[in-house]
């Protein structure tokens, strides 16, 4: 039966499709019980098989298996819908047919059956929402065996190939699939700047114009290439244009109901104008955030610079850490605050569909992330370096406290300051963000959580055991009985333990990983000219990332419910924007630093601006050309899609009207003669026709016309055809 | 019969659908005759009615009427095709059904029947091409009466409304329809800057920042608005996405034939990479053209400036005309040369479809037009004004010939020159292009040709009569006989005369009119800040243009064969680009001239560049916002389209699978119990299942699960339900 999951998977997971973690806390048992009854009845009525086991102290695990027949129908319905929306080119077979289904499609369909509202035939179970607040989560089980196999396999090879991406998609759905596909092409792209970077770094040093130009070009090509790749994958995975199917947001608060006069469907609407006004709030918010973060970072800098360039007093070595500590404590706190504000703003915008909501939120968070990631470097490059001579002396205001140490140095300071201004400071910063930050990130993201997880599990076990041991006295008997009644059957024990562990795991959100890549791309396009080895470090980092992320999904998160998408989302535009800004920032950097022994003080503002102006517009022109070129390339999938459409249409045309359309009945010719009367009948029943018909009656068939025509030609040459007279 | 053309139209034109002008020259009569036979047979075989009349001395007129049945089938086929390609949302009724057809659709279908290749069931008659070189043109007849009515009607009202646009589209097809729709919305948009311009001109004078900003904003909004409007009209006229149906170019030279392995259709292909390389030739060409035109214009200027600022010798007043004459003679000649080169380049690019070819050609010509139109002003504004003090003295090189007059003034010159530099020169130029040129254009475009036409007809008549009179002697008898045999029947005479006149007319090409509008928009966005009254003159001009163009189409051109399109084509991007460049040029102009008593010499380059930089990026940001906003607006047509799709899908779903999909059969619940064995049968026939099935067999129905669940909850609270034991 093609539709059942692969054997080993079924074996390991006892054919469980989904597990519902049902939470109950001491307070209102009765209500919890009532709701549990409702839950199980709803599922039962829809034909789901259910098995209940105990989870941890305050939760149940409801194992769900979908009835094959209705699952088939569900899948088929969704496929038909896809086909109607033009997401897939191959018409789905008859209902209930045993077409091969991917794991992901199966799980998606079941999840839809469980969660979709009753009027669409679903069970309408909404975790943590509405009257299902006891339902804590609905999650599928990891396919341990396959995951393990893949982790092993990939650790051996350099790059994933097409099939492996397809496998990922088949297991975890398109959303995750797209992330890995993107990461994959990004890594492949990075090879080029990495190699070239090494080359430039060794031969040309930093701030080489050649590297900058090539890097910019590379970024353009990559972004455009990915756009194409997305389309290609979208067609290959049959999700092209899936974004039209949007899931309504439960939290959406409509202003009023509107009955569509044409279709008669009642739609709850919220005026777009009103939403737009609310969205305008982003602008002040962004400005506020920028200034807040900017202020903090600037202060940190100021202190740092002050300490290492002005201050010569005691504890200098220790004080040097002050700014670092300051920043690393303040920035996270403020950005969490800002993030929560952003979320609140987003809720306030009251988006209608989940997709819009996510996109909007992502963008807001992205802006914040950019600020925290790029402001420091920008400050150094475009404020500190050019204006240090002006600014540094003022930093002395901090100095007043420790005047004894500083005052006599003030004179030096000035000279000192603009002597000190060289790219080294900038470079160090860039290297920090390019290498150190990446590694730290990788650790905090993958390794640390894993360790913590292990530890916490150990601890939990330990505490539970102790808990058991502690419980003496009257409850004891029951407890033992309880254990004895509902102890896991030996053959299930191992499985259930695993399920309980998975139930504890957090839910995976691919967007955070994508954001990380996006920011990294930003460093590449904006600042890599400062230190051409950057792409190398990124390349290595991402090669590891590709594996560690997969490991992360398999081990540290619940199995993500498959979601469909045909793009990596708002990041695509962001990448484009970053590449664009890159053209500005890199050109500026190159101009300012390309010749090291030139004093920044001597930078000509107009020349700098002119450089930027040209760089940017050349960039835009090139991008236009690349776009045009790329759009001409037809990927295999596209060709296939075109072909399938062609076939579909051909079939239709052949079935309905013959391809040769209007010309394939032969009595027309003879008919031509007798058309006039028929026309006469209905067309114009008065003097009009008579003349019109007389006009058409001169030459009854095309042969007459030929004769007349021939005659005219002849005669115009002054020769007559003898029969021309009797013709008439 | 809904499908026949309106009565009066049929009456006036004797129900003629198309007229084929068949040309024969003295040389090869026999061949001409043979081809005529073939022509008439082909038409006859397809069921067309034909009538031959003599045209002018060396041509025949073949009148064609399409057979209703096959016409119906043709129309139906094309509609089905449209529907399959998703161009129309309403499924076409059964073949041969009497759906109302617009005039345009009818003519388009017939034209397709006549011209489309035989394998598609057409007659495959290709005017002036292949073995139909005698077929000079195939054209429909003007609907005099309606045209006259409309001209009268519109001359009375200020703006056309939606229905009138629909009427135009119904008569002349979408291509013309789109032009008028665009012109219409452009006129409507112009009202706003016109009013605001007057306001600014009176209160703030030229180069007012406020006007500039508002104007820029206006341009953005207009372009974005039109994008939406296009979509809206596309849906309303059921041509949305029609661009996917492209007509193959006959001149296309494929490099090799490729058999599509999937569909098996054999396609003649030309590698895109090769075409791309050829397209790269545009770049040198553009540079060459720019330098050539630039050089000419610059020289003209130089002479002019020299004459009015340095030269004080004799004939000054007469010599002042020299540059004007020079430019007005040289520029047209060189631009015709360049245009022909552009056409040749375009042919060389060997585009596969007519649409691509046209688009490419249009773009090339556009570039040339822009150069001729904008270079003069750009030179004045950005070369002459800022650098005059530097340049002007060198103009003296011309002066060496007439040294006696000049030398002693040289000193003055310098002072003189940068004294002279005020916007007045620039303004005059702008006013010239904004007003004078427009009027001249209007005249040369509409009035002059009309007059010429009348004159030439008079002359032709006269000469022919004289010709007749001269012909004495032997040929005379035949001639008279010829006249007598094929003299027009009295009731047809007037009609035939009209047809012969129309046969003489040139073919209308909407793109030239669009180009004109596009260039005008360029003046508005780029330079209108120099003279805020510009939009006023444009408004007036276009108001007239809207009528005169229609008049032109009706009187001075053959009736255009209806063509479909869903956009105004490459102009849309061009408008966007112009608006963008506008943000740069206007900001620069304002900065340079806003305060009149500031010497241009004192302009700070860096400040200017900074202004431009900010202006441009603010522009881009604003555009992004406007785009986002516009994309949120749903036009009526769009809503309707959405609704229709919704209905279509609903119908389909209801017919195939019940909307409630998988849940609507009630025996499922009872079934749930017996699923396991059935699974057992096929799923995993070995040890695997046994454990798996044991897992699922603990609780046979949801009720058991409830009990177990309830128990667990209870017990976790340390209480037992009495029946919990016997449950198990």
């Amino acid at each position: 039966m093609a539709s059942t999951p692969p054997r080993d998977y079924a074996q390991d997971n006892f054919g469980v499709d989904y597990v519902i973690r049902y939470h109950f806390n001491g307070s209102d048992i009765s209500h919890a019980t009532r709701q549990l009854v409702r839950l199980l009845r709803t599922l039962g009525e829809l034909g789901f098989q259910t098995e209940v086991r105990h989870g941890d102290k305050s939760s149940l695990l409801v194992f769900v298996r979908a009835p094959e027949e209705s699952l088939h129908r569900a899948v088929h319905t969704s496929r038909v819908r896809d086909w109607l929306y033009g997401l897939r080119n191959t018409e789905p077979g008859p209902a209930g047919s045993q077409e091969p289904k991917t794991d992901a499609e199966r799980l998606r369909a079941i999840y839809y059956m469980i969660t979709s509202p009753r009027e669409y035939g679903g069970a309408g179970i909404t975790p943590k929402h509405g009257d299902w607040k006891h339902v804590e989560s609905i999650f599928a089980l990891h396919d341990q065996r396959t995951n393990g196999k893949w982790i092993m396999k990939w650790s051996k090879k350099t790059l994933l190939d097409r099939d492996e991406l397809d496998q990922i998609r088949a297991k975890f759905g398109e959303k995750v699939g797209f992330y890995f596909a993107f990461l994959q092409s990004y890594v492949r792209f990075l090879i080029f700047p990495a190699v070239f970077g090494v080359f430039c770094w060794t031969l040309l040093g930093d701030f080489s114009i050649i590297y900058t130009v090539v890097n910019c070009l590379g970024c353009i090509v990559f972004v455009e290439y990915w756009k194409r790749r997305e389309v290609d994958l979208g067609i290959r995975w049959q999700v092209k244009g899936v974004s039209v199917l949007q899931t309504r947001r439960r939290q959406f608060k409509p202003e009023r109901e509107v009955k569509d006069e044409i279709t008669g469907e009642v739609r709850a609407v919220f005026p777009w104008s009103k939403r737009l006004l609310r969205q305008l709030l982003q602008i002040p918010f962004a400005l506020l955030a920028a200034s807040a973060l900017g202020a903090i970072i600037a202060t940190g800098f100021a202190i740092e610079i002050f300490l290492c360039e002005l201050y010569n007093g005691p504890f200098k070595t220790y004080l040097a850490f002050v700014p670092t500590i300051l920043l690393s404590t303040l920035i996270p706190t403020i950005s969490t605050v800002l993030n929560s504000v952003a979320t609140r703003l987003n809720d306030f915008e009251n988006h209608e569909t989940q997709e819009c909501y996510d996109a909007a939120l992502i963008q807001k968070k992205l802006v914040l992330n950019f600020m925290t990631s790029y402001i420091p470097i920008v400050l150094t490059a475009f404020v500190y370096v050019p204006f240090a001579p002006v600014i540094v002396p003022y930093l002395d205001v901090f100095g007043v406290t420790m005047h004894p140490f500083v005052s006599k140095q003030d004179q030096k300071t000035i000279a000192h300051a603009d002597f000190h201004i060289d790219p080294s400071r900038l470079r160090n910063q860039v290297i920090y963000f390019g290498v150190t930050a990446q590694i730290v990130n990788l650790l905090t993201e993958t390794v640390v959580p894993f360790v913590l997880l292990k530890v916490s599990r150990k601890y939990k076990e330990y505490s539970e055991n102790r808990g058991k041991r502690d419980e003496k006295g009257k409850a004891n008997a029951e407890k033992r009985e309880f254990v004895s009644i509902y102890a896991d059957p030996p053959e299930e024990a191992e499985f259930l333990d695993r399920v309980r562990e998975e139930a504890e795991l957090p839910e995976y959100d691919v967007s955070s990983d994508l954001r990380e890549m996006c920011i990294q791309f930003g460093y590449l396009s904006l600042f890599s000219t400062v230190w051409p080895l950057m792409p190398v470090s990124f390349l290595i980092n991402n090669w590891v990332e590709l594996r560690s992320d997969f490991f992360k999904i398999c081990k540290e998160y619940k199995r993500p419910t498959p979601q469909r998408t045909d793009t990596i989302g708002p990041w695509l535009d962001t990448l484009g924007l970053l590449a664009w800004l890159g053209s500005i920032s890199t050109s500026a950097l190159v101009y300012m630093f390309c010749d090291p022994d030139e004093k920044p003080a001597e930078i000509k503002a107009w020349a700098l601006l002119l450089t930027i102006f040209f760089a940017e517009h050349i960039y835009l022109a090139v991008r236009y050309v690349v776009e045009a070129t790329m759009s001409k390339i037809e990927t295999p999938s596209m060709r296939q899609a075109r072909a399938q459409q062609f076939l579909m249409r051909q079939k239709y045309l052949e079935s309905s009207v013959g391809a040769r359309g209007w010309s394939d009945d032969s009595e027309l010719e003879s008919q031509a003669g007798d058309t006039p009367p028929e026309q006469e009948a209905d067309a114009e029943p008065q003097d009009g026709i008579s003349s019109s018909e007389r006009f058409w009656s001169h030459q009854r068939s095309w042969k007459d016309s030929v004769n007349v025509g021939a005659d005219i030609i002849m005669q115009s040459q002054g020769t007559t055809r003898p029969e021309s007279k009797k013709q008439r």
Side-chain angles (χ1 to χ4, degrees), chain A:
Chain A
M1 193 150 148
S3 63
T4 50
R7 174 152 308 123
D8 53 2
Y9 170 72
Q11 231 176 68
D12 301 352
N13 292 337
F14 293 100
V16 173
D17 288 320
Y18 272 94
V19 178
I20 300 176
R21 189 185 197 196
Y22 190 83
H23 179 86
F24 56 86
N25 48 2
S27 63
D28 54 351
I29 291 308
S30 58
H31 178 266
T33 321
R34 255 182 283 107
Q35 204 175 88
L36 178 67
V37 177
R38 263 195 61 221
L39 173 69
L40 291 168
R41 189 194 296 109
T42 333
L43 290 171
E45 280 169 0
L46 285 177
F48 285 99
Q49 271 182 284
T50 50
E51 281 283 330
V52 174
R53 298 284 185 276
H54 65 85
D56 61 5
K57 274 209 287 339
S58 64
S59 72
L60 287 177
L61 296 177
V62 182
F63 295 83
V64 178
R65 179 155 75 173
E68 287 303 329
E69 300 72 22
S70 28
L71 174 58
H72 279 306
R73 225 169 303 122
V75 169
H76 180 260
T77 322
S78 97
R79 285 185 176 185
V80 168
R81 204 174 70 248
D82 292 357
W83 183 69
L84 285 173
Y85 279 84
L87 305 194
R88 47 185 294 146
N89 300 315
T90 52
E91 185 177 0
S97 67
Q98 313 298 358
E99 292 178 49
K101 289 197 291 293
T102 68
D103 227 15
E105 185 175 13
R106 176 192 171 82
L107 285 177
R108 204 183 67 243
I110 298 171
Y111 190 78
Y112 185 71
M113 289 167 73
I114 297 176
T115 55
S116 64
R118 305 216 57 140
E119 59 268 32
Y120 295 142
I125 294 162
T126 54
K128 290 215 201 84
H129 187 275
D131 45 8
W132 295 110
K133 67 182 178 48
H134 285 291
V135 176
E136 197 175 307
S137 61
I138 304 175
F139 62 96
L141 295 173
H142 272 300
D143 178 354
Q144 300 282 10
R145 203 171 292 192
T146 329
N147 294 351
K149 228 185 306 156
W150 288 356
I151 293 175
M152 290 280 65
K153 188 157 143 232
W154 297 353
S155 54
K156 287 187 196 59
K157 60 196 295 185
T158 46
L159 280 177
L160 308 187
D161 56 27
R162 209 172 174 144
D163 303 343
E164 282 158 332
L165 291 176
D166 290 348
Q167 287 170 345
I168 297 180
R169 171 248 179 179
K171 267 257 172 274
F172 297 104
E174 285 73 17
K175 208 162 193 172
V176 177
F178 259 105
Y179 168 62
F180 278 96
F182 172 76
L183 194 50
Q184 156 86 340
S185 1
Y186 181 44
V187 169
R188 213 195 279 111
F189 150 73
L190 271 174
I191 294 169
F192 162 69
V195 172
F196 195 76
V198 173
F199 165 79
C200 288
W201 184 71
T202 44
L203 298 185
L204 308 165
D206 308 338
F207 300 110
S208 86
I209 295 168
I210 299 165
Y211 172 79
T212 313
V213 170
V214 171
N215 184 46
C216 257
L217 199 65
C219 291
I220 297 176
V221 172
F222 171 64
V223 173
E224 293 308 323
Y225 163 77
W226 174 251
K227 278 185 193 157
R228 299 295 288 174
R229 187 101 173 81
E230 250 184 13
V231 179
D232 182 45
L233 282 172
I235 296 168
R236 181 182 174 83
W237 292 347
Q238 300 204 319
V239 288
K240 181 94 200 59
V242 77
S243 39
V244 295
L245 308 169
Q246 301 198 313
T247 54
R248 189 174 196 66
R249 239 179 101 236
R250 289 198 213 86
Q251 296 82 350
F252 170 64
K253 295 178 215 59
E255 200 178 57
R256 63 179 187 286
E257 299 248 309
V258 168
K259 191 168 186 309
D260 191 314
E261 63 288 340
I262 308 160
T263 60
E265 58 170 338
V266 176
R267 294 193 351 274
V269 296
F270 184 78
W272 60 267
S273 51
K274 202 163 173 181
R275 178 173 299 124
L276 200 74
L277 283 178
R278 293 182 175 189
Q279 281 171 326
L280 288 181
L281 285 172
Q282 291 179 39
I283 299 164
F285 171 68
L287 295 176
L288 185 134
S291 43
L293 284 166
I296 292 173
I297 295 166
T299 335
F301 267 36
I303 298 172
E304 189 181 348
I305 295 162
F306 167 77
L307 285 171
C308 54
E309 291 184 15
L310 295 182
Y311 181 70
N312 284 341
F315 318 118
K316 180 165 179 158
T317 42
Y318 308 104
L319 285 172
F321 291 103
V322 171
T324 326
I325 296 159
L326 205 70
L327 291 181
S328 48
T329 49
L330 272 182
I331 289 182
T333 39
I334 187 127
S335 50
T336 37
V337 172
L338 288 172
N339 271 318
S340 69
V341 175
T343 320
R344 212 152 309 120
L345 261 182
N346 215 37
D347 297 338
F348 182 58
E349 282 169 17
N350 186 22
H351 291 278
E352 201 161 336
T353 66
Q354 195 58 43
E355 288 73 10
C356 298
Y357 179 85
D358 295 342
L361 187 58
I362 283 166
Q363 266 157 336
K364 292 189 184 58
K365 292 198 169 173
L366 215 46
V367 173
L368 295 175
N369 277 287
F370 284 172
M371 290 173 179
T372 42
S373 333
Y374 303 141
I375 284 181
I377 303 184
V378 171
L379 276 178
T380 321
F382 300 109
V383 178
Y384 166 70
V385 173
F387 304 116
V390 192
I391 298 168
V392 172
Y394 293 106
L395 297 180
D396 197 12
V397 290
F398 297 98
V400 286
T401 48
M402 49 205 71
H403 225 292
F405 310 110
V406 184
S407 55
K408 57 182 165 314
Q409 311 233 0
D410 270 350
Q411 275 58 24
K412 242 218 254 101
T413 307
I414 315 308
H416 190 67
D418 63 351
F419 159 75
H420 235 277
I421 291 150
D422 63 341
S424 76
R425 170 183 208 80
L426 182 61
R427 187 186 295 107
N428 299 338
Q429 228 174 357
V430 169
I431 293 175
Y432 167 76
F433 281 107
V435 182
T436 330
Q438 295 291 330
I439 296 168
V440 173
N441 203 328
L442 195 62
L443 292 179
T444 50
E445 186 187 342
T446 313
V447 182
V448 177
F450 190 63
V451 175
L452 287 178
L453 197 66
K454 290 277 171 233
V455 172
S456 66
R457 276 185 190 154
K458 282 269 159 295
Y459 174 74
K460 196 170 178 191
E461 253 170 45
Y462 165 74
S463 59
E464 271 176 358
N465 296 341
R466 210 190 49 202
K468 284 216 187 65
R469 252 184 278 100
D470 295 353
E471 282 157 347
K472 306 249 165 269
K474 64 173 230 315
N476 200 345
E478 281 159 23
K479 271 276 162 272
R480 194 170 295 106
E481 180 189 36
F482 160 75
V483 175
S484 65
I485 293 176
Y486 296 111
D488 307 330
E491 77 274 16
E492 297 176 9
E494 182 213 358
F495 167 67
L496 288 174
D497 289 340
R498 214 183 72 228
V499 175
R500 291 186 187 112
E501 281 179 1
E502 286 189 22
E504 300 292 335
L505 296 173
E507 300 203 342
Y508 175 67
D509 173 20
V510 73
S511 69
S512 59
D513 283 335
L514 269 166
R515 187 184 304 124
E516 192 191 332
M517 282 303 119
C518 198
I519 288 168
Q520 194 194 70
F521 181 82
Y523 285 121
L524 183 71
S525 66
L526 293 170
F527 307 115
S528 69
T529 180
V530 176
W531 187 57
L533 289 184
M534 208 177 215
V536 181
S537 98
F538 285 165
L539 180 58
I540 299 163
N541 173 74
N542 293 352
W543 190 91
V544 179
E545 183 92 22
L546 190 58
R547 278 94 189 139
S548 67
D549 278 348
F550 186 74
F551 178 81
K552 202 172 68 182
I553 295 176
C554 299
K555 298 285 176 201
E556 301 169 18
Y557 289 97
K558 285 204 188 80
R559 178 174 188 165
T561 311
Q563 286 173 297
R564 296 201 300 182
T565 174
D566 59 353
T567 166
I568 54 167
W571 281 280
L572 191 49
D573 305 341
T574 321
L575 292 175
L577 185 65
L578 284 172
W580 183 348
L581 294 177
S583 71
I584 300 177
S585 82
T586 45
S587 60
L589 286 169
V590 168
Y591 176 81
M592 283 164 67
F593 298 113
C594 56
D595 123 23
D597 51 322
E598 175 193 40
K599 294 252 177 310
E602 294 154 13
I603 292 167
K604 309 253 170 321
W606 67 268
L608 175 61
L609 284 163
L610 207 60
T611 321
I612 294 175
F613 183 82
F614 279 114
E616 182 177 10
H617 288 89
I618 291 166
Y619 166 85
L620 290 170
V622 171
R623 192 182 66 178
Y624 175 79
V625 172
V626 173
E627 263 177 349
T629 317
M630 285 281 183
S631 68
K632 288 209 173 51
I633 305 170
E634 194 184 38
T635 67
S637 313
M638 292 179 194
R639 197 174 307 110
Q640 201 171 10
R642 207 174 39 68
Q644 276 162 336
Q645 281 178 339
F646 177 86
L647 288 175
M648 190 265 269
R649 299 203 181 92
Q650 209 178 27
K651 213 171 78 227
Y652 188 100
L653 279 182
E654 274 158 6
S655 65
S656 67
V657 272
R660 309 197 67 256
W662 45 81
S663 65
D664 49 1
D665 38 350
S666 46
E667 79 286 359
L668 268 176
E669 188 183 345
S670 58
Q671 232 176 40
D674 17 297
T675 337
E678 169 231 61
Q679 283 242 339
E680 214 161 340
D682 48 11
E684 308 95 352
Q686 34 87 297
D687 166 65
I689 30 116
S690 58
S691 71
S692 157
E693 286 321 321
R694 214 173 303 122
F695 175 83
W696 286 107
S697 60
H698 289 300
Q699 298 149 19
R700 300 299 293 178
S701 94
W702 63 270
K703 300 193 186 57
D704 303 349
S705 315
V706 168
N707 295 327
V708 177
D711 283 356
I712 295 176
I713 297 179
M714 291 300 169
Q715 304 224 350
S716 69
Q717 304 309 314
T719 57
T720 20
R721 280 167 65 204
E723 74 278 24
S724 69
K725 271 171 221 60
K726 49 177 134 57
Q727 273 298 349
R728 208 103 178 11

